[in-house]
Amino acid sequence: MKSFLISVVAMVLGAVSATALAATGTVLRAEKLYSQPSASAKVAGNAAKGASVMILAKQGGWLRVTSGNTTGWIRLLSVRAGAGGLGGAGLGDVVGAATTKSDPSRVVAVAGLRGLNDEDLKQAKFNEAELARLETMKVTAAQARSFAGKSGLAAVNVPALPAPQAAKAPASTWESN
């Protein structure tokens, strides 16, 4: 009986500690939950815009979350860390959730070629099938504007940088040191 009680207590403590490690988040737009961290994986369920989720893990650009009774993987930029609802859910909130480090609710998103070295890049070969697959994912400018508008994003005109100026010759020899 004593060993049974110890087993039950250990299971309860494990469940409580796993819940304590999980962080909350808010879904920024209706998204599918996938069985694996890949858009080509089987769809496990859906998460509605504004739904509260528990963030369980992070892998690359994906978060493992629980939404209602469904657990699955959702794109990192589709979730705002914290339990504040969609009050501000603008670009700053999305970038903040994606670029802040530390606990599971604050993940780091980094773009780049991590893990590739010069030899890997020298051995790279053209992959026609992969290029064709990418072509199937392209969208028109109108589709991109529509998608951005549904997410609360708007176009902003940014002035161009001034043209670079040629460096002036130093007026005295001490400026060249």
Side-chain angles (χ1 to χ4, degrees):
M1 179 67 175
K2 189 174 184 180
S3 64
F4 174 74
L5 184 58
I6 291 173
S7 301
V8 170
V9 169
M11 286 180 7
V12 169
L13 287 175
V16 169
S17 65
T19 305
L21 292 176
T24 60
T26 303
V27 178
L28 297 174
R29 60 181 166 268
E31 281 283 354
K32 295 176 183 172
L33 295 177
Y34 295 94
S35 59
Q36 298 293 320
S38 167
S40 61
K42 179 182 168 192
V43 175
N46 293 296
K49 179 179 179 178
S52 180
V53 295
M54 290 299 296
I55 302 169
L56 306 173
K58 179 195 172 283
Q59 182 176 329
W62 294 86
L63 295 175
R64 187 158 196 260
V65 300
T66 297
S67 178
N69 294 330
T70 306
T71 298
W73 292 88
I74 190 170
R75 290 175 179 89
L76 180 139
L77 292 178
S78 296
V79 176
R80 186 173 127 244
L86 289 174
L91 181 60
D93 295 320
V94 175
V95 172
T99 59
T100 307
K101 60 183 175 179
S102 69
D103 67 45
S105 71
R106 297 176 182 244
V107 293
V108 177
V110 178
L113 298 174
R114 210 177 247 179
L116 293 177
N117 59 35
D118 289 340
E119 286 303 313
D120 291 334
L121 294 174
K122 287 177 186 175
Q123 295 176 12
K125 303 238 184 316
F126 176 71
N127 186 333
E128 186 176 357
E130 190 65 18
L131 182 60
R133 188 176 76 82
L134 287 173
E135 285 291 326
T136 66
M137 296 180 200
K138 71 180 176 183
V139 296
T140 66
Q143 289 170 317
R145 278 191 297 277
S146 173
F147 180 79
K150 290 176 184 174
S151 299
L153 302 175
V156 176
N157 288 327
V158 179
L161 293 172
Q165 302 287 324
K168 296 179 183 177
S172 67
T173 57
W174 67 269
E175 288 180 5
S176 62
N177 292 333

